[in-house]
Amino acid sequence: MKKYLPLLLILLWSCQAEVEDTKEQSTPEKPEWAIVIHGGAGNIQQNGFSQERQAEYQQKLEEAIKVGSVILENGGTSLEAVEASIHIMENSPLFNAGKGAVFNALGQNEMDASIMDGESGKAGAVAGVRHIKNPISAAIAVMEKSPHVLLIGEGAEEFSANNEVEITDTSWFYTERRWKSYEKMKQDKHGTVGCVALDKQGNIVAGTSTGGMTMKMPGRVGDSPIIGAGTYADNHTCGISATGHGEFFIRNVVAYDVAAIMKYQGKSIQNAATYVIQDKLKSQNASGGIIGLDGQGNIIMEFNTTAMFRAWGSSKQPVASAVFKGD
Ligand code: ASP
């Protein structure tokens, strides 16, 4: 009998673990799936932003979040949801990503994007691409089909073309609004897009796509394609997508910092996000924000600007969108 005692103990322990797992899964507050997106953050003055324009943005944001929500509701993966939601925003001239990408100092569009899978820890990114219609798909191709994490410029474009990612002429990215802001040399800094999703399998994926900053130097790379700065995902902590003044987000390793605070200090995603955005970045005069969610489907949208284009939803919450603080 004595020799079976360890076996019995293991058996008892595993039954107990199973009971606890089921308890966790059936916690009433935890949604089956959740999704959150951003379309950039900035210090926009509400009185200079017409209601029609705000409605136009919110309509697009809601279209994007609905596409991701339907995928998740039907049992699709968070990767599929993130890619589809970001495509809607990349194909719209409203956001600084894909179609609406801003112009650099030479009047060219150079785009960056990244993706990270919170289950496997795999990641993919592209930077400085000029002919890829949906840079988020190129980032996914790098993650899934290459042994690397980050490809830049022509190498990234050639790789994408060989992996069925749509290539387009640079004229696709011409929008009058961005050209005007380039011509006026305005510092139209914000408008990046991002998405973080939790699927029914409990997997978190985060993705970000951007045209960078207006008038940036050719070859400049921001935080958006840098894993840990603009994008991060780990099923054990959270998924994060950032938007804002990229140089500060790189120096502060923002997306990973939120995850690290959760992991090493045991803080909630909201506490970690508030600290990084409102204390740490604000004290450096760094503007921007983040969206994210944890493994329990808790969503955060934290920004230190007047506005962040954002939308969210889950199996327990109908989709909604907002622009200004307090909306
Ligand atoms: N973070 C982006 C960059 O620095 C820009 C933005 O989010 O608006 O490239």
Side-chain angles (χ1 to χ4, degrees):
M1 180 65 202
K2 228 179 180 180
K3 81 173 185 220
Y4 293 115
L5 200 61
L7 257 177
L8 246 166
L9 281 174
I10 289 174
L11 203 73
L12 265 171
W13 176 81
S14 64
C15 285
Q16 174 72 14
E18 222 167 82
V19 170
E20 271 168 14
D21 272 348
T22 350
K23 245 198 265 163
E24 175 103 40
Q25 275 159 18
S26 59
T27 309
E29 298 80 38
K30 185 179 183 284
E32 272 195 293
W33 56 264
I35 183 165
V36 56
I37 59 175
H38 70 75
N43 283 316
I44 306 164
Q45 292 320 312
Q46 199 158 4
N47 51 14
F49 199 70
S50 73
Q51 289 206 331
E52 293 73 49
R53 194 148 178 74
Q54 182 167 342
E56 201 187 349
Y57 273 95
Q58 286 189 245
Q59 215 172 10
K60 227 352 135 187
L61 287 166
E62 288 181 21
E63 183 188 333
I65 198 107
K66 276 180 194 155
V67 165
S69 299
V70 169
I71 291 174
L72 295 168
E73 178 59 34
N74 291 330
T77 66
S78 39
L79 180 65
E80 289 163 341
V82 168
E83 183 178 28
S85 291
I86 290 186
H87 273 190
I88 301 286
M89 294 186 283
E90 282 181 333
N91 291 342
S92 160
L94 293 176
F95 305 100
N96 173 20
K99 174 89 184 136
V102 296
F103 292 97
N104 68 12
L106 292 180
Q108 299 166 334
N109 310 103
E110 285 185 328
M111 293 160 287
D112 307 329
S114 68
I115 190 93
M116 186 164 184
D117 176 46
E119 186 186 19
S120 61
K122 284 175 111 188
V126 293
V129 294
R130 300 193 49 220
H131 301 90
I132 295 176
K133 190 176 173 205
N134 295 105
I136 195 69
S137 297
I140 293 172
V142 172
M143 174 172 80
E144 290 183 332
K145 297 174 183 156
S146 89
H148 305 301
V149 170
L150 173 60
L151 292 180
I152 63 160
E154 281 171 20
E157 294 189 349
E158 203 181 316
F159 170 80
S160 300
N162 292 336
N163 283 282
E164 285 125 51
V165 175
E166 193 174 341
I167 300 296
T168 185
D169 190 75
T170 50
S171 59
W172 165 258
F173 305 107
Y174 176 86
T175 58
E176 212 180 308
R177 189 160 73 93
R178 297 300 187 199
W179 185 253
K180 274 188 188 153
S181 95
Y182 161 72
E183 277 186 326
K184 282 193 206 149
M185 293 179 61
K186 262 194 208 156
Q187 290 293 297
D188 178 13
K189 289 178 190 164
H190 307 282
T192 296
V193 306
C195 179
V196 186
L198 168 73
D199 60 27
K200 287 185 177 175
Q201 292 74 43
N203 190 28
I204 300 174
V205 166
T208 312
S209 180
T210 189
M213 289 169 83
T214 302
M215 289 301 293
K216 65 184 178 182
M217 285 170 66
R220 178 264 188 188
V221 175
D223 61 310
S224 309
I226 308 295
I227 299 302
T231 302
Y232 189 72
D234 174 5
N235 281 3
H236 298 108
T237 50
C238 63
I240 298 286
S241 169
T243 176
H245 196 153
E247 281 68 12
F248 288 93
F249 280 67
I250 295 175
R251 291 199 285 256
N252 288 282
V253 205
V254 165
Y256 178 71
D257 201 21
V258 174
I261 290 170
M262 291 174 71
K263 187 166 178 169
Y264 301 122
Q265 293 191 349
K267 295 253 162 77
S268 69
I269 186 168
Q270 184 60 65
N271 285 344
T274 307
Y275 168 70
V276 172
I277 300 299
Q278 309 299 356
D279 292 0
K280 210 170 166 183
L281 289 182
K282 225 170 167 177
S283 69
Q284 299 168 34
N285 278 328
S287 65
I290 51 173
I291 53 156
L293 50 76
D294 64 13
Q296 299 302 305
N298 296 306
I299 288 173
I300 57 108
M301 293 165 283
E302 196 63 42
F303 51 103
N304 62 25
T305 47
T306 57
M308 180 165 78
F309 298 97
R310 58 201 190 277
W312 62 96
S314 76
S315 56
K316 297 224 178 286
Q317 234 183 323
V319 300
S321 66
V323 175
F324 292 96
K325 251 204 167 103
D327 272 2

